[in-house]
Amino acid sequence: MMDILEKITNTVENLPTLPTIYSTITEAIQNPRTSADNLAKIIATDQVSAIKVLKVANSPFFGFRGKINTISEAVFYLGFNEIRNIIFALTVINYFAKNTIVKPFHPKDFWAHSIATGIAARLIGASLGQSNLENYFLAGILHDIGKLVLLQSAKNEYAKVGELVEKQKISIRDAESEVLKINHATVGHALALKWKLPPTLQEVIANHHTPSKDHPDAKIIASTYLANNVVKLLQMGNAGDDVVPRPNPVVWEVLSIPNGFFSKMLDQLENDYQYTIKTMLTER
Amino acid sequence: MPSLISIDDLKNGMVLAEAVKNKYGQVLLAKNAVINANHPKIFRTWGVETIMVHDDNVAKPQATFNTSLVASVRQGLIDRLQWEPMLPQETDLLEMAVNSFLRRQPITTKIETGEEEAE
């Protein structure tokens, strides 16, 4: 039998490179002569993603309340980077959602958890006055991507991970380490490297369970860590376990969250979540 | 405060906070109109997906809860988490979750605001 670690490494190596639309768009954005209309044309070549991009662009958290009617308007109002991240998130969701995965979570519930984390991370980032909120959103959506790689490469063993979580009420990360000798943060980081994601996203994926004070990306890592725990606490979607640890006190130092922030955030988080899972997770 | 909701969540009796227009800018339904059962179908036909309604019509915690229910939801959460809040931020997190889970309680366990407390 092939060693599990070998299988996982093979899977990461054999995963397709970044979806072409992402690299085409990234190249276009890097070209200073690209206009909003040029970019809109590239996006419109894929009709299905164009419609979804429009729906997401009208999400309540962007504040345009259904007023964005065309891709050009979406690019104009939201900006190149935001649009690129939305398309990338939709492409990755679509890529992995096709695989039939049964245990320990349904792909829809997995993505609901991830999208909720993205929304919560964005709200936390916004309260800190961060300007690159599109990265907070994408970091939240991709933080657990390693779980899908593990599922794909070691389906039977991952079912055992699920059983262990259920039986011993431990975190899925601990169960992964016990059964597979590797965890989803490490595997997700390998995929992020292969996909040449921006370094900040690589760091969030690798460290979303281990926030620290001294990391150059400490704020976005701590925000994603906290967002992950907030949405698990609220049972939005399913991350594969129901373990919500007492937050690592480091995040309070890094983020200086204002008093009563979470209670105030709840309404918006729940509204944005309902809207966004509908737009990002429906088939068409 | 008005809120944006999906037309899938429209309910009879909700009041529009903004006129609903089609993509040509024609008004389909004026501001302050009251939603009835036919409206969602019309909006769908015109490709309208979201609508601004007055907040008090959106399902929000319009009820208060009796203290024993709040206490039992809170205790249930603490049992699930296996830690008790100590820092103010931790208390805030827990209270946020208490509120969220109270809203999910069946309507019969709520006490409507303004009514006498029945305990």
XYZ file of all heavy atoms in Angstrom, chain A residues 2-15 145-155 157-158 161 176-177 179-191 194:
341
model
N 0.452 2.216 -0.769
C 1.239 3.455 -0.834
C 1.129 4.212 0.487
O 0.079 4.239 1.113
C 0.715 4.326 -1.973
C 1.770 5.280 -2.524
S 1.006 6.626 -3.453
C 0.619 5.789 -4.976
N 2.208 4.716 0.930
C 2.246 5.510 2.156
C 1.271 6.692 2.049
O 1.166 7.309 0.982
C 3.692 5.990 2.342
C 3.840 6.817 3.583
O 3.317 6.391 4.631
O 4.457 7.882 3.502
N 0.568 7.014 3.147
C -0.440 8.082 3.093
C 0.204 9.415 2.714
O -0.292 10.145 1.861
C -1.160 8.251 4.455
C -1.873 6.961 4.839
C -2.178 9.384 4.383
C -2.465 6.988 6.228
N 1.345 9.696 3.348
C 2.008 10.974 3.068
C 2.388 11.099 1.601
O 2.258 12.155 0.988
C 3.268 11.112 3.929
C 3.038 11.620 5.343
C 4.357 11.677 6.104
C 2.391 12.996 5.321
N 2.821 9.958 1.048
C 3.202 9.940 -0.362
C 1.971 10.239 -1.227
O 2.037 11.013 -2.185
C 3.762 8.556 -0.682
C 4.739 8.522 -1.842
C 5.280 7.103 -2.020
O 5.683 6.488 -0.999
O 5.248 6.618 -3.146
N 0.864 9.610 -0.849
C -0.390 9.841 -1.586
C -0.774 11.313 -1.566
O -1.175 11.884 -2.574
C -1.541 9.051 -0.920
C -1.740 7.652 -1.441
C -3.194 7.240 -1.227
C -3.324 6.082 -0.271
N -4.696 5.728 0.056
N -0.656 11.913 -0.374
C -1.053 13.324 -0.239
C -0.141 14.207 -1.086
O -0.601 15.093 -1.803
C -1.025 13.747 1.249
C -2.097 12.968 2.026
C -1.260 15.248 1.400
C -1.945 13.015 3.526
N 1.159 13.936 -1.019
C 2.107 14.724 -1.821
C 1.787 14.577 -3.302
O 1.781 15.556 -4.050
C 3.553 14.236 -1.569
O 3.691 13.975 -0.193
C 4.560 15.261 -2.021
N 1.507 13.347 -3.715
C 1.150 13.125 -5.121
C -0.073 13.926 -5.514
O -0.127 14.505 -6.596
C 0.853 11.638 -5.367
C 2.139 10.866 -5.568
O 3.175 11.466 -5.837
N 2.080 9.552 -5.432
N -1.074 13.937 -4.615
C -2.308 14.656 -4.946
C -2.030 16.134 -5.138
O -2.496 16.739 -6.105
C -3.366 14.470 -3.842
O -3.529 13.080 -3.633
C -4.692 15.078 -4.238
N -1.247 16.714 -4.216
C -0.941 18.142 -4.347
C -0.221 18.385 -5.670
O -0.527 19.321 -6.402
C -0.080 18.649 -3.164
C 0.384 20.070 -3.406
C -0.878 18.571 -1.868
N 0.732 17.488 -5.983
C 1.484 17.667 -7.230
C 0.596 17.538 -8.454
O 0.812 18.203 -9.464
C 2.636 16.660 -7.311
C 3.862 17.170 -6.567
C 4.922 16.106 -6.390
O 4.848 15.068 -7.075
O 5.812 16.325 -5.552
N -0.398 16.664 -8.347
C -1.231 16.407 -9.521
C -2.451 17.320 -9.641
O -3.159 17.254 -10.637
C -1.689 14.950 -9.532
C -0.516 14.024 -9.752
O 0.429 14.381 -10.459
N -0.535 12.866 -9.123
N -2.696 18.137 -8.620
C -3.818 19.065 -8.746
C -3.532 20.028 -9.886
O -2.382 20.396 -10.110
C -4.016 19.855 -7.449
C -4.796 19.149 -6.362
C -4.738 19.959 -5.074
C -6.241 18.930 -6.749
N -8.687 24.854 2.892
C -8.587 24.177 1.598
C -7.824 22.852 1.691
O -8.102 21.897 0.955
C -7.940 25.135 0.549
C -8.129 24.618 -0.872
C -6.485 25.404 0.825
C -9.466 24.951 -1.424
N -6.891 22.792 2.657
C -6.119 21.565 2.848
C -6.995 20.361 3.172
O -6.658 19.220 2.835
N -8.143 20.600 3.822
C -9.038 19.479 4.146
C -9.522 18.791 2.878
O -9.668 17.573 2.831
C -10.247 19.984 4.945
C -9.918 20.372 6.375
C -11.166 20.845 7.104
C -10.801 21.388 8.477
N -11.929 22.089 9.120
N -9.803 19.581 1.845
C -10.304 18.994 0.605
C -9.207 18.205 -0.111
O -9.484 17.180 -0.729
C -10.867 20.080 -0.313
C -12.091 20.807 0.241
C -12.624 21.814 -0.764
C -13.192 19.831 0.628
N -7.971 18.679 0.008
C -6.864 17.934 -0.594
C -6.711 16.596 0.130
O -6.550 15.543 -0.491
C -5.547 18.735 -0.509
C -4.388 17.935 -1.074
C -5.679 20.058 -1.243
N -6.801 16.637 1.466
C -6.683 15.399 2.242
C -7.798 14.426 1.883
O -7.567 13.232 1.697
C -6.726 15.709 3.744
C -5.485 16.412 4.299
C -5.680 16.781 5.755
C -4.260 15.508 4.154
N -9.006 14.954 1.781
C -10.150 14.118 1.409
C -9.933 13.458 0.058
O -10.219 12.277 -0.130
C -11.392 15.006 1.291
C -12.367 14.977 2.431
C -13.448 15.998 2.194
C -12.980 13.597 2.585
N -9.430 14.255 -0.871
C -9.269 13.761 -2.223
C -8.169 12.709 -2.301
O -8.272 11.748 -3.042
C -8.920 14.943 -3.125
C -9.041 14.609 -4.583
C -9.412 15.870 -5.358
O -10.327 16.598 -4.993
N -8.695 16.144 -6.409
N -7.097 12.911 -1.500
C -5.969 11.994 -1.628
C -6.124 10.758 -0.752
O -5.591 9.708 -1.072
C -4.659 12.704 -1.299
O -4.819 13.501 -0.164
N -6.821 10.867 0.347
C -6.907 9.737 1.274
C -8.329 9.629 1.819
O -8.572 9.822 2.994
C -5.901 9.912 2.402
N -9.248 9.310 0.925
C -10.663 9.322 1.257
C -11.004 8.405 2.438
O -11.663 8.821 3.392
C -11.451 8.901 0.022
C -12.874 9.376 0.000
C -13.494 9.058 -1.347
C -14.958 9.419 -1.352
N -15.582 9.108 -2.634
N -8.986 7.025 4.701
C -8.321 7.454 5.930
C -9.018 8.688 6.499
O -9.130 8.836 7.703
C -6.841 7.781 5.666
C -5.964 6.583 5.340
C -5.987 6.223 3.855
O -6.848 6.769 3.123
O -5.157 5.399 3.438
N -9.513 9.567 5.615
C -10.160 10.779 6.114
C -11.494 10.455 6.775
O -11.922 11.140 7.700
C -10.328 11.830 5.009
C -10.174 13.239 5.557
C -8.958 13.664 6.065
C -11.248 14.114 5.615
C -8.803 14.922 6.607
C -11.108 15.390 6.158
C -9.877 15.779 6.647
O -9.730 17.023 7.203
N -10.643 9.842 10.174
C -10.465 11.117 10.887
C -11.817 11.570 11.435
O -11.939 11.943 12.605
C -9.863 12.197 9.951
C -9.913 13.576 10.599
C -8.438 11.840 9.571
N -6.536 14.579 12.396
C -5.727 14.434 11.175
C -4.301 14.048 11.540
O -3.720 13.132 10.944
C -5.699 15.760 10.399
C -6.984 16.088 9.656
C -7.051 17.555 9.216
O -6.147 18.347 9.563
O -8.028 17.911 8.536
N -3.734 14.755 12.516
C -2.352 14.481 12.900
C -2.209 13.046 13.392
O -1.211 12.383 13.120
C -1.901 15.444 13.999
O -1.962 16.756 13.517
N -4.254 10.346 12.668
C -4.491 9.320 11.649
C -3.525 9.465 10.471
O -2.986 8.479 9.976
C -5.955 9.389 11.141
C -6.201 8.379 10.023
C -6.929 9.163 12.287
N -3.327 10.718 10.011
C -2.579 10.925 8.759
C -1.147 11.409 8.980
O -0.369 11.491 8.034
C -3.311 11.948 7.877
C -4.791 11.712 7.587
C -5.412 12.938 6.942
C -4.955 10.505 6.685
N -0.821 11.760 10.220
C 0.513 12.305 10.564
C 0.788 13.645 9.863
O 1.940 14.028 9.663
C 1.647 11.313 10.223
C 1.418 9.896 10.688
C 1.409 9.777 12.198
C 1.030 8.362 12.639
N 0.170 8.367 13.816
N -0.262 14.308 9.438
C -0.100 15.621 8.790
C -1.435 16.332 8.992
O -2.450 15.675 9.210
C 0.247 15.449 7.296
C 0.762 16.758 6.691
C -0.927 14.928 6.488
C 1.437 16.569 5.352
N -1.477 17.674 8.991
C -2.787 18.318 9.147
C -3.101 19.235 7.970
O -2.245 19.535 7.142
C -2.895 19.041 10.497
C -2.030 20.280 10.551
O -2.141 21.164 9.692
N -1.148 20.349 11.535
N -4.362 19.691 7.942
C -4.845 20.406 6.753
C -4.141 21.744 6.548
O -4.073 22.233 5.422
C -6.371 20.592 6.822
C -6.845 21.451 7.959
N -7.199 20.934 9.181
C -7.030 22.789 8.057
C -7.574 21.921 9.977
N -7.489 23.070 9.328
N -3.609 22.340 7.625
C -2.933 23.630 7.467
C -1.649 23.439 6.651
O -1.346 24.226 5.741
C -2.631 24.235 8.832
N -0.913 22.371 6.969
C 0.334 22.083 6.255
C 0.058 21.755 4.786
O 0.732 22.248 3.872
C 1.044 20.882 6.920
O 1.083 21.122 8.324
C 2.441 20.696 6.390
N -0.966 20.907 4.575
C -1.292 20.497 3.210
C -1.831 21.684 2.403
O -1.475 21.879 1.232
C -2.324 19.346 3.236
C -2.756 18.980 1.825
C -1.751 18.139 3.938
N -2.679 22.494 3.052
C -3.219 23.674 2.375
C -2.105 24.628 1.967
O -2.126 25.211 0.884
N -1.104 24.748 2.836
C 0.041 25.611 2.537
C 0.778 25.101 1.292
O 1.167 25.889 0.417
C 0.976 25.657 3.753
C 2.133 26.583 3.569
N 3.439 26.185 3.735
C 2.177 27.882 3.207
C 4.241 27.211 3.486
N 3.502 28.256 3.165
N 0.933 23.760 1.205
C 1.605 23.175 0.029
C 0.834 23.522 -1.245
O 1.426 23.857 -2.272
C 1.724 21.664 0.198
N -0.488 23.450 -1.164
C -1.302 23.783 -2.343
C -1.181 25.271 -2.690
O -1.056 25.638 -3.860
C -2.772 23.418 -2.092
C -3.716 23.722 -3.247
C -3.364 22.892 -4.474
C -5.172 23.473 -2.847
N 1.965 25.762 -4.493
C 1.875 25.261 -5.862
C 1.075 26.219 -6.744
O 1.400 26.437 -7.906
C 1.236 23.882 -5.876
C 0.971 23.427 -7.295
C 0.621 21.974 -7.421
C -0.033 21.758 -8.767
N 0.743 21.075 -9.743
